[in-house]
Amino acid sequence: MSPWMEKLYYQAPVWCQNLLVTAYGLKLRKERFSPAADSHLADLLHSERLDAVAMAELQSARFVDLARTAILHVPHYRQWAQGVDLNVEDIKDLNALSWFPILEKSVLREDPQSLVDERILASGNYFTLNTSGSSGSPITIYADVASRTAHYAFWSRLRHWFGVAPLGRRATLFGRIIMSPEASSPPFWRYDRFQRNLLMSSYHLAEANLPAYYAQLQRYQPEEIVGYPSSIYPIAKYIAQHQLPRIKAKVVFTTAETLLSHQRSLIEASFDAPVIDQYGCTEMALFVSQCEHGSMHLHPEHGMLEVVDADDQPVAAGETGEAVCTGLVNQAMPLIRYRLGDCLTSSSASCGCGRAFPELAQLAGRVDDILVTPDGRPLGRMDPIFKGLAGIYETQIIQTAKDRLQFNLVTDSQYDQAAEDALRYEILKRTGEQMQIVFNYLEAIPKNANGKFKSVVSDIPTEEAVKQ
């Protein structure tokens, strides 16, 4: 949305904003719940009952179809296959997975269309999704409605495990800008009728506003609450401090951030619902969630996971390594052996849920420092500010004071003054005008000993930061 359109949106009455949010919700509903949605969910509810052998056979068949399609119709993989003299008939089972080279994020960032099925690209029947990535590098992902619906069916299955229908009543706390950042009185939420979604602002969780959030959740009585841990936690803390009746729901899903143990404990104490963590990525390269028994599982019909060391060799169960993923749902943009950039710890344990789903011991790569506004509100993840901006190669956010954010940026020739102005606009929408914004342009962002850099850093003394 352009700045002038956003200005008009902010000035519109709440009822009008609700209509606009609902209209956008219709678009999302068509992507997520196309006519094939019910059959996808039925297939997943069947496949989750397969034993390990049958699940491996299912994965193998889907991988063979994906790999052959990629070699025939995706320029990046066709060129690679020609270079190593590989024919589609050579791809017969999962053993062929190791033949493919690891796909680096730089390929997606520099030439994303080389990874898109040329038939879908030529038809124009696609849309794009944007992510900054865990390393702070903006990436454009191509998808079609069929693939998006197949992907979203995994969310529907996860909800089904906890008794929530695909379009059950929900409340969400994400990084969406649904109202003016300068607003100081409720409602701090807007409603999408098509998805039955109460979108609650993550940028207005000041102490004085928490009673309004609590009261609205009690009135709305969502079946599920979905959001960043850092956005749900302040509400949980308010409930506990004031000894208020717990908010009833069938489940609370946390996602997009590392769920810390003390956050889980307080959320569980304040909400009358199980707290279930979920982990995924815009690239649709993997889908991970907890089950009813609390174990963290990879959903094997969605994709395959390799955990590798610094030499790209598999690590043993119980050891931490880097995630290399092969997604099986995005037919528009197949990603085979894609280096996700996050660290995971695999496990050889078996879960009491009985599903033949690989188990993870730890998600080790998503702890970001907490950013706050000048008045002490948590900012949560700032990834959305980079979405759709051209010319930004790498980013790092450093908070040097409660009213000062420094953005270390590595840019290319596409980045100009207009891009900087757009970026500043997106930042101030979330922080308010009191925040000082400093752009620091670098040739490269300094790396840590492990060859990476933290994308978010807080240098605020502990006593000034938000207590999590």
Side-chain angles (χ1 to χ4, degrees), residues 9 39 178 188 244 247 265 275 333 351 456:
Y9 171 83
S39 63
I178 57 170
F188 301 111
L244 298 171
I247 293 174
S265 297
V275 176
M333 191 180 201
C351 178
V456 179

Side-chain angles (χ1 to χ4, degrees), residues 35-44 153:
D38 289 342
S39 63
H40 280 307
L41 176 57
D43 288 344
L44 291 177

Side-chain angles (χ1 to χ4, degrees), residues 74 115-118 120 126 142-144 147 329-334:
V74 177
L115 286 155
V116 181
D117 188 315
E118 56 197 1
I120 292 176
Y126 63 85
Y142 287 72
D144 60 352
S147 297
V329 298
N330 189 0
Q331 302 294 319
M333 191 180 201

Side-chain angles (χ1 to χ4, degrees), residues 25-47:
L26 176 61
K27 171 184 177 295
L28 294 178
R29 179 167 172 169
K30 288 180 177 179
E31 293 174 2
R32 295 169 173 175
F33 300 103
S34 71
D38 289 342
S39 63
H40 280 307
L41 176 57
D43 288 344
L44 291 177
L45 293 176
H46 170 74
S47 62

Side-chain angles (χ1 to χ4, degrees), residues 177-460:
I177 303 296
I178 57 170
M179 56 189 292
S180 169
E182 306 303 325
S184 58
S185 60
F188 301 111
W189 47 83
R190 300 295 182 263
Y191 187 61
D192 167 8
R193 291 186 179 275
F194 279 115
Q195 296 196 100
R196 303 183 73 194
N197 184 9
L198 182 71
L199 292 87
M200 309 191 87
S201 173
S202 290
Y203 301 103
H204 294 79
L205 289 165
E207 185 70 27
N209 299 335
L210 293 178
Y213 281 84
Y214 172 76
Q216 179 61 17
L217 285 171
Q218 288 286 38
R219 283 192 296 269
Y220 183 59
Q221 295 187 343
E223 295 178 64
E224 61 175 338
I225 300 169
V226 190
Y228 303 152
S230 62
S231 296
I232 300 174
Y233 181 80
I235 301 173
K237 188 175 181 180
Y238 170 79
I239 294 170
Q241 286 179 336
H242 295 274
Q243 300 181 335
L244 298 171
R246 296 198 296 171
I247 293 174
K248 295 182 181 295
K250 291 182 177 179
V251 62
V252 175
F253 290 117
T254 55
T255 188
E257 295 175 347
T258 297
L259 175 63
L260 304 175
S261 59
H262 67 276
Q263 292 175 325
R264 177 188 287 277
S265 297
L266 194 63
I267 294 171
E268 287 177 340
S270 300
F271 290 79
D272 188 10
V275 176
I276 300 298
D277 202 17
Q278 188 276 333
Y279 171 88
C281 59
T282 304
E283 297 96 319
M284 291 182 278
L286 85 168
F287 190 92
V288 176
S289 77
Q290 287 184 294
C291 69
E292 311 93 315
H293 289 248
S295 300
M296 188 65 80
H297 292 290
L298 175 74
H299 291 231
E301 312 98 322
H302 190 282
M304 296 173 290
L305 172 67
E306 302 169 69
V307 183
V308 302
D309 61 19
D311 297 319
D312 292 333
Q313 297 302 307
V315 302
E319 295 183 4
T320 299
E322 194 167 13
V324 173
C325 308
T326 298
L328 296 173
V329 298
N330 189 0
Q331 302 294 319
M333 191 180 201
L335 300 180
I336 300 174
R337 304 199 74 205
Y338 169 62
R339 193 189 304 277
L340 186 61
D342 288 350
C343 291
L344 309 174
T345 306
S346 61
S347 171
S348 59
S350 59
C351 178
C353 73
R355 300 181 182 94
F357 288 9
E359 190 170 336
L360 296 180
Q362 184 182 15
L363 306 174
R366 284 197 159 182
V367 178
D368 285 339
D369 284 5
I370 299 297
L371 302 177
V372 298
T373 61
D375 61 358
R377 291 180 287 114
L379 276 171
R381 290 177 72 87
M382 292 284 280
D383 289 9
I385 65 176
F386 302 109
K387 289 185 177 181
L389 291 181
I392 299 178
Y393 188 80
E394 288 182 339
T395 64
Q396 182 182 51
I397 309 172
I398 301 177
Q399 183 155 29
T400 57
K402 288 184 72 173
D403 63 350
R404 189 175 188 273
L405 289 177
Q406 176 178 308
F407 289 78
N408 291 334
L409 302 173
V410 179
T411 62
D412 61 25
S413 59
Q414 296 183 69
Y415 185 86
D416 54 16
Q417 186 61 48
E420 181 182 289
D421 293 342
L423 180 57
R424 186 184 300 275
Y425 174 79
E426 290 295 326
I427 297 165
L428 293 177
K429 275 166 50 177
R430 292 160 171 82
T431 65
E433 296 291 336
Q434 296 77 27
M435 186 72 78
Q436 300 176 49
I437 307 300
V438 177
F439 294 118
N440 185 28
Y441 296 100
L442 304 173
E443 292 294 324
I445 295 175
K447 304 287 194 298
N448 295 328
N450 63 0
K452 300 180 181 180
F453 63 86
K454 288 191 68 174
S455 58
V456 179
V457 178
S458 175
D459 287 338
I460 301 176

